[in-house]
Amino acid sequence: QKEVEQDPGPLSVPEGAIVSLNCTYSNSAFQYFMWYRQYSRKGPELLMYTYSSGNKEDGRFTAQVDKSSKYISLFIRDSQPSDSATYLCAMSGASGGSYIPTFGRGTSLIVHP
Amino acid sequence: GAGVSQSPSNKVTEKGKDVELRCDPISGHTALYWYRQSLGQGLEFLIYFQGNSAPDKSGLPSDRFSAERTGGSVSTLTIQRTQQEDSAVYLCASSYPPQTNTEAFFGQGTRLTVV
């Protein structure tokens, strides 16, 4: 079992839909939870991160962390075709003093007009 | 430049040849990572450099893989005697501050194809 599990999709939604992307994890030492967006043939770019449990909102994006369930989510409101990309969750925690991010496989999102 | 720069962007090599991939991190970033991304797979951690500390090489898949970071800046990932299973996109990232490394900035990657 991988430390971080993420459904690869693809997830296809119509423009304007609310999108829910999720990851589960097994390592209880993870403290920081990140979401990256990766367009085709580009490097990942950080969308947002949260520390420990709770919610964080940034524009149309909301990240949720439930450490008790080892489950994190990213919600995208009013999705746009430009949101079509692969979304990777990542998480890190103290391990020998370093916080090397562990990534999920990524979920491919397609928002069609 | 302002971002992480990787070169070459694409590399096709014959099986058995050695290759070198280069990463120029963002100036002032003390942490540097190499990841590998195979088709349909997530990012696989390879190696991590933090300042002058000994690198964390725990992700290197075999002794054919090595990396160095000179002067705390530029890094080179070397793959010796390449195999077809080495074909992947190799991504470099840098970050600061080092304590949590939550905001890693990635380069565009080097797409390696071993034929």
Side-chain angles (χ1 to χ4, degrees):
Chain A
Q1 182 192 11
K2 284 180 168 286
E3 274 193 300
V4 179
E5 298 281 357
Q6 186 176 11
D7 188 331
L11 177 62
S12 181
V13 302
E15 182 176 357
I18 296 174
V19 175
S20 173
L21 304 166
N22 312 292
C23 289
T24 59
Y25 63 96
S26 57
N27 189 343
S28 56
F30 288 142
Q31 299 171 285
Y32 292 89
F33 303 90
M34 292 80 78
W35 285 96
Y36 283 80
R37 177 175 62 195
Q38 185 177 25
Y39 291 113
S40 180
R41 295 189 172 262
K42 300 288 187 182
E45 57 176 333
L46 181 69
L47 278 175
M48 55 199 306
Y49 74 88
T50 54
Y51 173 70
S52 193
S53 285
N55 295 359
K56 186 173 184 178
E57 188 174 321
D58 184 0
R60 295 185 296 111
F61 298 88
T62 299
Q64 285 186 353
V65 175
D66 182 348
K67 289 193 72 178
S68 63
S69 301
K70 296 189 176 65
Y71 187 89
I72 70 170
S73 301
L74 178 71
F75 297 96
I76 308 174
R77 290 184 299 280
D78 187 26
S79 56
Q80 303 295 308
S82 58
D83 295 328
S84 298
T86 296
Y87 290 79
L88 299 131
C89 63
M91 38 200 85
S92 66
S95 174
S98 71
Y99 288 75
I100 300 169
T102 299
F103 284 81
R105 291 179 60 183
T107 298
S108 175
L109 173 66
I110 302 167
V111 181
H112 51 86
Chain B
V4 176
S5 178
Q6 291 187 247
S7 60
S9 53
N10 286 282
K11 176 72 176 179
V12 180
T13 190
E14 291 181 353
K15 179 181 172 180
K17 300 282 190 183
D18 298 352
V19 294
E20 284 190 352
L21 312 180
R22 177 187 169 102
C23 174
D24 282 273
I26 293 172
S27 178
H29 280 193
T30 57
L32 186 148
Y33 321 73
W34 284 97
Y35 285 87
R36 177 169 71 176
Q37 187 173 33
S38 303
L39 188 63
Q41 300 298 312
L43 274 65
E44 175 190 5
F45 166 70
L46 296 177
I47 189 168
Y48 165 69
F49 296 90
Q50 171 47 41
N52 295 321
S53 302
D56 181 338
K57 305 179 182 180
S58 61
L60 294 178
S62 77
D63 59 7
R64 296 186 296 105
F65 289 72
S66 63
E68 63 177 21
R69 188 178 185 190
T70 54
S73 181
V74 172
S75 178
T76 303
L77 177 69
T78 301
I79 309 173
Q80 296 179 309
R81 305 181 301 283
T82 52
Q83 304 295 312
Q84 288 187 326
E85 61 263 28
D86 299 334
S87 297
V89 176
Y90 289 82
L91 290 159
C92 174
S94 68
S95 69
Y96 187 87
Q99 282 76 16
T100 58
N101 296 332
T102 52
E103 189 162 12
F105 292 85
F106 281 84
Q108 301 275 58
T110 293
R111 185 172 299 272
L112 176 66
T113 304
V114 182
V115 297

